[in-house]
Structures are given as structure tokens and as C-alpha cells.
Amino acid sequence: TYQFTPRRGGKEMDIVGYRNAELVHQLTREGGLNTKYGDGTTLNMAQAYILERLALVTADWPLDKTAQDKRLMPRTYQYGYLALAREFGMTLPDNLKSIKVIDGEPRDEKKETNAVNRISKNMNKLMDKGLVKCLREGNPQTRTKGVYLLTIGSPEENAEVEAYVRANLGL
């Protein structure tokens, strides 16, 4: 499998959610990620891209044996908004003046902040649409990342997945 490793102390993210991604593509085909545009609607590319990425890096439901052995949580994203922003290339510095070395790593704090804000706005819209559910808020002071559940299945399936995740994460 393809693996994505966040640059700063994060875990590797395996590309494991092929069935999840197909559910997102189905939502897209049905207009579930459309947004108002002029007198009509059109696909919201940012939301679609974020949701597809979340689908790919979260384990499918039901869990297969490999996911069970790795103790992966189905449809559960726990890496944080900055990891997504980095994955999308949103934090790459535009010039040398904007770079600061933080913890031995060159970073552009302004771009990181702007990228996280853009991801956050789109995640809130996905939550408003009922496609993502926040199970635990992140807290930068305690360096706790949020826990987000993809609610891309049927209502019954979403309830089953949420119960499983809450029980296994102690939420």
C-alpha cells in the first residue's frame, strides 16, 4: 500500500479506504458534494478532495483482517488539519523570507495558518452536510488532535461504525 507520513512526528497513513472512496464518488455522482453557484449548483472541489482524501486514509467498514490486526479505526481520521494541508502542498513556502526554522524544520507559519483555516472551513461545511462528524475536538495547547468520523454510509451503518469507534477509543 501507498503510505503518507506527516512531516512532524505523525504516524504513517496507509491508503486503505478504497471502499470508502467509492462511497465518496457515489455521493459526488448524486450531487451530495454540490454547492450553490449562481442560479444552479456545482461540485465543491475543495470539499470533494478533502473528503476523498479522508476516505482513502481511513479504514473501510467492515474492517478486513489486516485492518483489525493493525487495530485501525474504521472511517476515523485522527492526524489533524496540518497533516492534510501538508499532504495537499498548501504549506510550501513561496519565498525564502517567509521561512522560519521551527524544531529544526523550515516552515512558513503564515501559510500553515492560512491552510489550516481553509481546511477547517471546508471540514465544517462537510460536518454541516452530515458527511463528517467530530467525535472529539482537537486542542493545540495539549497537542491533542481531533477525531473525525466519516458518515458516508447509510444511517444504520454510520451508527454501527460510530458505536464501534467510540467503544474502541473510549469516547
Side-chain angles (χ1 to χ4, degrees):
T1 61
Y2 169 81
Q3 294 179 333
F4 160 66
T5 305
R7 289 193 294 177
R8 291 191 67 235
K11 297 179 186 175
E12 288 183 341
M13 287 195 273
D14 292 330
I15 303 300
V16 293
Y18 296 103
R19 287 179 282 151
N20 291 342
E22 185 51 40
L23 289 171
V24 171
H25 295 163
Q26 182 179 339
L27 280 166
T28 302
R29 286 189 297 272
E30 295 169 356
L33 292 168
N34 281 7
T35 190
K36 190 159 178 53
Y37 183 76
D39 292 334
T41 62
T42 190
L43 175 66
N44 185 306
M45 295 296 284
Q47 290 173 32
Y49 191 47
I50 289 169
L51 191 60
E52 180 182 53
R53 190 68 192 160
L54 295 176
L56 285 170
V57 299
T58 59
D60 287 319
W61 180 259
L63 292 171
D64 60 23
K65 176 142 177 51
T66 303
Q68 288 174 351
D69 292 345
K70 289 184 176 185
R71 302 183 62 95
L72 298 178
M73 291 295 106
R75 298 184 185 159
T76 306
Y77 182 78
Q78 304 177 69
Y79 299 99
Y81 292 167
L82 184 55
L84 273 177
R86 287 178 171 163
E87 174 71 2
F88 297 152
M90 297 168 71
T91 63
L92 296 172
D94 292 322
N95 60 61
L96 292 175
K97 291 179 185 177
S98 63
I99 296 175
K100 290 183 183 177
V101 176
I102 302 169
D103 296 330
E105 181 181 348
R107 295 174 48 190
D108 185 335
E109 286 183 298
K110 185 177 180 181
K111 282 197 85 171
E112 286 181 2
T113 300
N114 289 339
V116 166
N117 287 339
R118 287 178 61 199
I119 298 281
S120 177
K121 282 182 184 179
N122 282 292
M123 284 289 283
N124 286 333
K125 289 178 182 177
L126 289 169
M127 286 186 254
D128 291 345
K129 289 180 178 181
L131 300 173
V132 175
K133 184 175 186 176
C134 182
L135 299 182
R136 182 182 71 209
E137 291 285 337
N139 185 336
Q141 285 77 25
T142 60
R143 293 185 177 220
T144 306
K145 292 183 172 66
V147 176
Y148 299 92
L149 182 71
L150 276 65
T151 49
I152 54 178
S154 68
E156 298 79 21
E157 185 179 75
N158 290 338
E160 186 179 347
V161 174
E162 183 175 348
Y164 178 89
V165 170
R166 286 186 180 280
N168 284 279
L169 292 181
L171 299 173

